[in-house]
Amino acid sequence: MNPNAPQQLLRATVFHTPRNPFVSEAALEAFADGALLVGNGRVLACGDYAALHAQYPQAAIRDLRGGFLLPGLVDTHTHFPQIRILGSLGLGLLDWLHQCALPEEARLADEGYARAVAAEFVHGLAAHGTTTALVFGAHFQSATAALFETAAKSGLRVVSGLVVSDRLLRPELHQTPRAAYTASKELIRTFHGKGRLLYAVTPRFALSTTEGMLEMCQSLLREHPDVRFQTHVNESPREVAEVLKLFPWARDYLGVYERYGLVGARSVLAHNLHPNGDELKRLAVSQASISHCPCSNAALGSGWFPLRRHIESGVRVALGTDVGAGTGFGLMKEALQAYMLQRLAPEGFALGPAHLLYMATRAGAEALGLDDVIGDFQPGKAADFVYLRPEGNSPLAAVVARADNPARMLAALLTLAGAECVREVCVEGAPVFSRDSVQ
Ligand code: GUN
Ligand code: ZN
């Protein structure tokens, strides 16, 4: 680190969760008149403005009072080819896939179409304050490459991979395991570990993959020990029943992936609405993470997420937007939806603002094995942050003017702040998105 690099002191209300609120009482750190000291793309310090200003009088001050700084949001489940089908309401998972998602995904065979979609998608992430995302790529190598290239230009951290399937979708989305292996290897060689990009082996779900394809995924993970893994599990009752018919030897849905060594600390499995107790125990032991996607779960009517059982079993849980079954790119909206559904769910978990912020930031970093780099504002971490500012005359501005305690302010932010509040988004201290009127 260059000690002579310019240092900037960003003054605003600052929130982060350097600890896990599901296991630690004092997980939320909040500084009403706070500051973030940034230099060389890193967080150098985070705390009260007055103390930091006294300690670092040479740092240039950027006065963002009236606004909020949060760690960059981390989306652990989303599909880039599905941005144009957002809002296709009214169907359950399997009907939605066949009527809405898969016909659109087939269009990504056209590279020009895929590039346009990739640009829309990456912009959507940044404009909503998401700085890191685990993304389902496309079923086509060229389209998945287009996503990686667009992400690289944007400066965002993107973990993605070719979606592989060899049955029960549409023929144009199927690949043989051998072709999928060759394409995946080439994508890994070209993009994995390049700049802020990482690769994730991505079988769509057990229903669309034969044993040969899952074996191919196992080979990729063995040959590339630091790539990540993502798929879907236990999302809808109909899907679960079909999977158990196709893999009669499996004791449950998770058992299919376990048989091929696909469930470990670098695995993120989306949904898991219908697990049995043993699956939860095995997930905890494996240290795999579940991506909880409450907007998608409600929109598709997939079921209640048993968050309490996950937490009590020691399973890691982060948040995902699941574009396009979900309702958009906003992780703060997703956090609010998680809260709402837990209020209603049988044996729901009483989520507070610290849990919600953690699930939208640090938990995602942990799920991706990036918690030594991102997820909160501890010194030495990358300066990935979102600057939020309520629009004048908005309900959020009215609440903030009155809120007298930081946790209440954070709760109001999570309830009321939409994309219009996202003023600037930085990765390693450099803007990846900014709105015109930023101070
Ligand atoms: N299961 C398999 N594919 C998908 C998908 O695209 N979205 C969701 N929500 N579940 C899936
Ligand atoms: Zn999904």
Side-chain angles (χ1 to χ4, degrees), residues 140-399:
F140 307 100
Q141 183 179 342
S142 58
T144 307
L147 173 71
F148 275 125
E149 285 160 11
T150 309
K153 281 197 204 110
S154 75
L156 294 177
R157 300 178 194 275
V158 166
V159 188
S160 188
L162 179 73
V163 184
V164 300
S165 287
D166 58 349
R167 67 171 162 195
L168 294 176
L169 299 180
R170 302 158 66 93
E172 62 271 42
L173 299 180
H174 296 158
Q175 275 181 300
T176 63
R178 175 170 289 279
Y181 177 80
T182 307
S184 303
K185 292 291 271 192
E186 212 171 299
L187 288 166
I188 292 170
R189 197 167 46 244
T190 312
F191 297 111
H192 179 64
K194 302 290 160 64
R196 296 171 184 152
L197 306 178
L198 291 169
Y199 195 84
V201 173
T202 309
R204 189 168 195 121
F205 61 161
L207 204 58
S208 67
T209 46
T210 63
E211 301 187 15
M213 189 62 99
L214 295 171
E215 257 173 47
M216 189 285 292
C217 293
Q218 180 171 34
S219 303
L220 288 174
L221 288 183
R222 281 198 181 129
E223 291 162 19
H224 302 277
D226 60 342
V227 304
R228 303 330 193 240
F229 175 83
Q230 61 179 339
T231 193
H232 298 93
V233 74
N234 286 323
E235 183 174 358
S236 85
R238 244 179 90 196
E239 168 214 19
V240 176
E242 292 296 320
V243 165
L244 295 181
K245 269 193 241 160
L246 286 175
F247 298 92
W249 47 260
R251 54 176 153 167
D252 45 37
Y253 197 152
L254 188 69
V256 176
Y257 298 133
E258 286 172 323
R259 161 77 181 75
Y260 298 97
L262 304 176
V263 184
R266 57 195 163 126
S267 307
V268 179
L269 311 176
H271 305 295
N272 207 34
L273 300 175
H274 309 285
N276 63 43
D278 201 51
E279 284 175 300
L280 289 173
K281 275 192 208 139
R282 281 145 48 211
L283 279 168
V285 170
S286 74
Q287 297 185 324
S289 296
I290 295 303
S291 179
H292 173 38
C293 308
C295 290
S296 163
N297 297 341
L300 294 175
S302 302
W304 297 112
F305 180 62
L307 177 61
R308 177 178 296 284
R309 288 172 61 218
H310 280 73
I311 299 304
E312 287 174 359
S313 305
V315 180
R316 298 168 162 199
V317 178
L319 281 178
T321 58
D322 199 15
V323 167
T327 58
F329 284 79
L331 267 171
M332 288 185 291
K333 179 171 78 171
E334 209 65 45
L336 179 65
Q337 181 80 355
Y339 166 84
M340 297 286 189
L341 293 183
Q342 289 303 314
R343 290 283 290 169
L344 291 171
E347 296 174 53
F349 191 98
L351 289 168
H355 298 110
L356 300 178
L357 180 62
Y358 167 76
M359 290 204 295
T361 56
R362 196 189 151 94
E366 290 169 356
L368 293 170
L370 293 174
D371 47 311
D372 52 342
V373 185
I374 56 164
D376 58 52
F377 291 144
Q378 293 184 76
K381 291 210 176 177
D384 289 15
F385 61 83
V386 196
Y387 166 47
L388 300 160
R389 192 182 182 92
E391 293 194 305
N393 236 344
S394 64
L396 179 58
V399 177

Side-chain angles (χ1 to χ4, degrees), residues 32 66 68 390 394-410 412 416:
F68 300 85
S394 64
L396 179 58
V399 177
V400 166
R402 280 290 304 275
D404 48 6
N405 96 39
R408 289 249 308 267
M409 228 188 281
L410 178 57
L416 291 165

